[in-house]
Every structure is written in C-alpha cells, then in structure tokens.
Amino acid sequence: MNKTRFRLLVFLMSLSLIGIILVQLYWISTSLDKNEEEFKYHVQQVLGNVSNTIKEKELVSFYNYYNKIIDSTGKIPKEEELKEIYFYERDKKTNETIIYTNTLVAENYGINGSFFDKNANSVNFGNLVSKRKTEIFNGNTLNDGTLKMRSFPDVTINKSGSVSSLDKANFEVAFKDVVSLKPLQERVSTDQLGKCLKTELEKYGVKTPFEFGIYSNGLATKVRSENFKYDINSTYGIPVFQDNEGLSKYQLLVSFPQKNKFVFSSLIGISSLSLLFTLVIVLTYSSALNQLIKQKQISEIKTDFINNMTHEFKTPIATINLALDAIKNPKIIEDKEKVQRYLQMIKEENKRMHAQVENVLRISKLEKNELDISKEPRDVTEIIEDAIEHVSLIVEDREGVVHQHFNAQRTTILLNEVHFTNVLVNVLDNAIKYSPNAPVINVFTENIKDFILIKIQDQGAGMSKVAQKRVFEKFYREHTGDLHNVKGHGLGLAYVKQIVEDHNGQIFVESEKGKGSTFIIKMPLIN
C-alpha cells in the first residue's frame, strides 16, 4: 500500500469515527434539551396547581369562618330588592297560564371586615339571594272568547337560592381585599406549602429533591425551606396571592439542586450503551490503525533488512570471486604466500556469511522454543573475559582498547556458556561497529542486592530516543539513509534480549546521540 492510499484510508476512517462520535453527542445533547423542556413544563404546571390549591384552601377556610360568624350572630338579614324579572305565558290549547317571577334580593348581615382583620373596617359582607316564584292558573274561556282568570293560582311553586356566579365573584372580591392585609405567615405555612409541592411534584413524576421559598417584592420571607438558595439555572417561580387587579407582591420559587442529575437520569441507560459501543469502535479503530502502522513499519524494516542483507552478501561474494580469480592467475598460483592470503580471505568472508545465516536461524529457533538452552552455575567474570578475548583482535586492528572495571564481589549465576558468551560478544561487537573513531570500551560489573549488573559502555555514535525504544526489535536498525558503513541486519540485539530474558535477566540501554551508549545487563545471582 502506497503512502497516498494509506493516508486516504486513515483520513476516511478517522472522519467516519469523528462523525459517529459527533452524532452521538448531538443526540445526547438534543435528548437532554428535550428532557429539560419537559421538566420545565411539568414544574410550571405544578407551580400553577400549587398556587390555585393554596388560594382555594385559604378561600374555603375564610368562607367557613365567615359562615361561622353569621351563624353565631343570629341576626336576621336586611333584605333589599334589587331587580325583578317577570315572565308571562299562556297555552291556548289547555287555557293554562304560567306567571314566573325572579327577584334579586340583597341580604346584609351587618358584618364588616373588622371581624377578620382590624384593618379591614371599610369592607362589608353580605349575600345575594335569588327568590323565584311560579304561578299556574287554569282559566275558562267565556262566550265572547275572553279568558276568565281565577283570583288565586291553582299551583304556586316558590324557590330560593344563591346567585352562584355573581355571589361567588362578589365574595371573592371582598375576600381578596381582606386577606391581602394579613401577614404572609398567617396565610400559608412552610409545612403546608412543602406538602402541597411534594404531592403535586410526585403526581407529575418529578421525583427529585427540591427547596422552596416565597419572596416578597424580591426579598426573602420566613416561608421557605431550610436550604433554599436561588439559582438562575435550577429555580422556577410563579406569582401567588394575586389581588383583585391581578397583581401580586409575592412569588413562589422552587429550586432543584439535583436537577441536572434528574434530567440526565432517564438517558443514563441508553447513553451508557451508546458510549460503550462508541468506545468499542474507538478501541477497534485504534487497534486497526496501530496494526496498519506496524505493518507499514514492518514492511519498511523488511525492505531495509533485505537491502542490507543484499549489500552484506554482495560484498563477501564479490571478494570471494576476486580472490578465486586471482588464485587462477598463473603468476599468483605459484606464489604460496599470496595464495595463502587469498584463501584466508575466502575463509573469513565465508565465515562472515555463515555467521549471518546462523543469526537468522538462531532467532527463528528461539521464537519456536526449539533452541536447547541448558544452564549451569558459572562465574560470569570468566564469561565476560572470554567474550572480550573474542573481539580483542578486532579492537586491536582498529587501535582501540577495552577497559575492565570488575567491582562485583559475588559473580556466580546460572547460565548457558555458549549463548551468554554470544550475548556479550554481540553487545561488544555493536560497541566496536558504532564507534566512528578508535573504539574505547569500558566494561563494569557491580552488585545490587541479589543481582549483578554488567555495563558495556562505548563512546560511539549513540542513538536517538526512538531508536532506544526499538533497538531490541527484530530487524530494526536506525535509518542511515543509503549509507551502509555499519554492517548488520537488526537481528543481533533481538537475539541478545531473548537470551537474557530466558536467563531470567533484563537488558536496558542508555544513550545520547553523539555521546555513545551504555548497555546494562541485570542478572540474578545464585544464593
């Protein structure tokens, strides 16, 4: 997959994922707004019902008190006729005549507002009564066709009752004038208001803690719950105790401290599922993207590996061919010294190619657990000295030096001599290869608790932070462009790490670009 297609695929996948997340967030936001509007509507309905309830309770209480006072006075009300309606109807077939009268009478009990409030003397209380009478005359027709009426009706029906709508309106006007002068605490109590609010809220399904209070002209009154605090985002209000002009100085306020939690509670289930599935998609996408990037990196590493292997095999093959051609030369074949030199070159180049193949095979066997690694107690100092001896000729050839600083007092560990020697040789070989000048290598040993630390320090090219994290990966080599001045195929340190870990040890690297590297091998001691 080329870079353009890879980037396009990543872009489209990322765009789709972002789109899914945005749609989920939009849906949650829209649902929250809808729930909040529904919550607001229900609360306003509740406040309206509570306002009417406390007004009606006050009216009923006042009316009962009013009737009680009327009953206790025992006064006969003064009546005053205000209006009379007269209705006359005659049925020609039956000669029956109906006369209906409806008289509106005002009854005054002589009670004023002082019975209810000392400041309401000017308000008089009375009652309006409707007195209705129906008279039925059964008349006889005379010879001349005129109707002969009786002096007294055959049937008389009397009815009396209140003028409901007018009476009620008249009473409520007087009621509002009187109670408006009473203190708020006498009109409604905190407990009464709290119970009424709780009942109405439960009726509308608003089951969340609430606080309430009545404010008078913007100032708090004593009719309020203990923890009421005004919050513009969670407080709702409605005017209460309106006067005859529809005005009110009182406002009932209700706040919901856990409003957001309640509004969101109905979305928790579906939102959790939505977020869970979105998270699964994100993790799956991340994993897929990570795998794509790793595959791309592996592809690049393999390409680099093949290029390096080709270069490393090409050089010894070319050297062997040249040496063989030289030996075939009649002048050279008789010179035993030169023949011996060329044969030695062929042997060395063949040995180098064989070592490369062995490294590949060892890694393959190690991954399949086919490599036989038997361990026995050994003095690791001897193994280190042996490894240094292996690379001594190469170091001397480059005019370098290896300094030994063996400070560990306890040095016996469980190891496989061949493989652990290879580990140390590989690390020392890297220190030599990556030293652009004459290699100066320091080898340290020290004890830390029940472990021995082996440090191999060089003064070479060093490596970047990225390279330090990946230096032990199979096939990995830090990019040097098209330069192949350092031989290798990225298998040596991968082999080193696996062998060390198979010995229950650990290996680290500390490095700074241009200032060299230090490889640290931490191995458990035998007690």
Side-chain angles (χ1 to χ4, degrees), residues 193-298:
L193 184 58
K195 289 177 182 177
C196 189
L197 280 167
K198 184 178 180 181
T199 302
E200 288 294 326
L201 287 169
E202 288 179 351
K203 191 185 296 182
Y204 280 85
V206 184
K207 297 178 181 179
T208 183
F210 67 93
E211 302 292 337
F212 63 91
I214 294 181
Y215 274 49
S216 175
N217 295 323
L219 299 175
T221 66
K222 292 182 179 180
V223 182
R224 54 184 293 168
S225 58
E226 186 177 351
N227 300 316
F228 176 76
K229 290 181 181 178
Y230 181 82
D231 178 10
I232 192 170
N233 294 317
S234 60
T235 302
Y236 303 87
I238 191 172
V240 289
F241 301 128
Q242 292 174 313
D243 59 20
N244 288 311
E245 284 72 36
L247 303 176
S248 176
K249 65 179 181 178
Y250 297 114
Q251 187 176 30
L252 171 60
L253 300 174
V254 181
S255 68
F256 299 89
Q258 299 181 20
K259 170 192 163 185
N260 293 335
K261 181 181 177 181
F262 175 77
V263 170
F264 189 70
S265 61
S266 61
L267 294 176
I268 288 177
I270 192 68
S271 296
S272 299
L273 284 175
S274 176
L275 291 174
L276 176 63
F277 291 139
T278 302
L279 182 62
V280 170
I281 292 172
V282 170
L283 292 175
T284 305
Y285 167 75
S286 302
S287 178
L289 184 60
N290 188 45
Q291 289 299 321
L292 280 173
I293 292 171
K294 279 187 176 180
Q295 289 298 323
K296 188 172 180 295
Q297 289 173 343
I298 288 170

Side-chain angles (χ1 to χ4, degrees), residues 266-450:
S266 61
L267 294 176
I268 288 177
I270 192 68
S271 296
S272 299
L273 284 175
S274 176
L275 291 174
L276 176 63
F277 291 139
T278 302
L279 182 62
V280 170
I281 292 172
V282 170
L283 292 175
T284 305
Y285 167 75
S286 302
S287 178
L289 184 60
N290 188 45
Q291 289 299 321
L292 280 173
I293 292 171
K294 279 187 176 180
Q295 289 298 323
K296 188 172 180 295
Q297 289 173 343
I298 288 170
S299 177
E300 291 174 353
I301 289 168
K302 284 184 177 179
T303 301
D304 189 46
F305 167 72
I306 291 169
N307 290 337
N308 277 287
M309 286 292 287
T310 302
H311 182 83
E312 291 191 24
F313 277 114
K314 187 177 180 181
T315 303
I317 289 170
T319 304
I320 291 170
N321 285 334
L322 288 172
L324 288 172
D325 288 340
I327 291 172
K328 288 178 182 179
N329 192 317
K331 294 180 181 179
I332 301 279
I333 201 169
E334 294 178 0
D335 189 340
K336 292 183 179 181
E337 188 177 338
K338 286 186 177 180
V339 169
Q340 191 66 30
R341 180 188 168 197
Y342 287 132
L343 287 173
Q344 185 64 30
M345 287 174 63
I346 291 169
K347 184 179 178 181
E348 289 296 327
E349 294 300 323
N350 185 59
K351 186 179 177 181
R352 198 168 87 183
M353 287 193 294
H354 179 73
Q356 290 171 353
V357 173
E358 278 298 314
N359 267 334
V360 175
L361 292 174
R362 273 188 306 195
I363 284 290
S364 177
K365 286 184 177 181
L366 196 60
E367 287 180 343
K368 295 177 183 178
N369 294 319
E370 294 176 357
L371 203 61
D372 182 27
I373 304 179
S374 57
K375 308 178 188 73
E376 59 184 15
R378 288 294 305 272
D379 186 343
V380 75
T381 304
E382 294 177 4
I383 306 299
I384 296 171
E385 289 172 344
D386 189 36
I388 293 171
E389 183 65 27
H390 272 75
V391 299
S392 60
L393 290 175
I394 303 172
V395 174
E396 289 173 10
D397 185 59
R398 292 191 55 188
E399 299 179 351
V401 64
V402 177
H403 298 294
Q404 300 178 18
H405 309 276
F406 297 157
N407 301 317
Q409 300 299 317
R410 299 162 61 198
T411 57
T412 304
I413 65 174
L414 197 64
L415 55 80
N416 179 283
E417 184 178 348
V418 175
H419 288 293
F420 203 79
T421 302
N422 286 338
V423 164
L424 297 171
V425 169
N426 266 286
V427 177
L428 289 166
D429 187 50
N430 267 8
I432 296 165
K433 286 194 297 185
Y434 286 95
S435 296
N437 303 316
V440 177
I441 301 168
N442 289 283
V443 181
F444 302 87
T445 64
E446 62 177 292
N447 289 127
I448 295 180
K449 294 185 178 179
D450 291 331

Side-chain angles (χ1 to χ4, degrees), residues 124-152:
N124 290 313
F125 287 88
N127 192 20
L128 289 174
V129 179
S130 171
K131 292 187 176 182
R132 303 182 296 280
K133 182 170 69 172
T134 303
E135 296 178 327
I136 302 174
F137 296 87
N138 292 318
N140 298 315
T141 307
L142 300 175
N143 294 329
D144 58 2
T146 60
L147 182 66
K148 182 182 179 181
M149 296 286 291
R150 293 185 181 184
S151 301
F152 300 99

Side-chain angles (χ1 to χ4, degrees), residues 97-101 133-137 153-158:
T97 301
I98 298 173
I99 299 174
Y100 171 81
T101 58
K133 182 170 69 172
T134 303
E135 296 178 327
I136 302 174
F137 296 87
D154 294 296
V155 180
T156 301
I157 301 171
N158 290 307

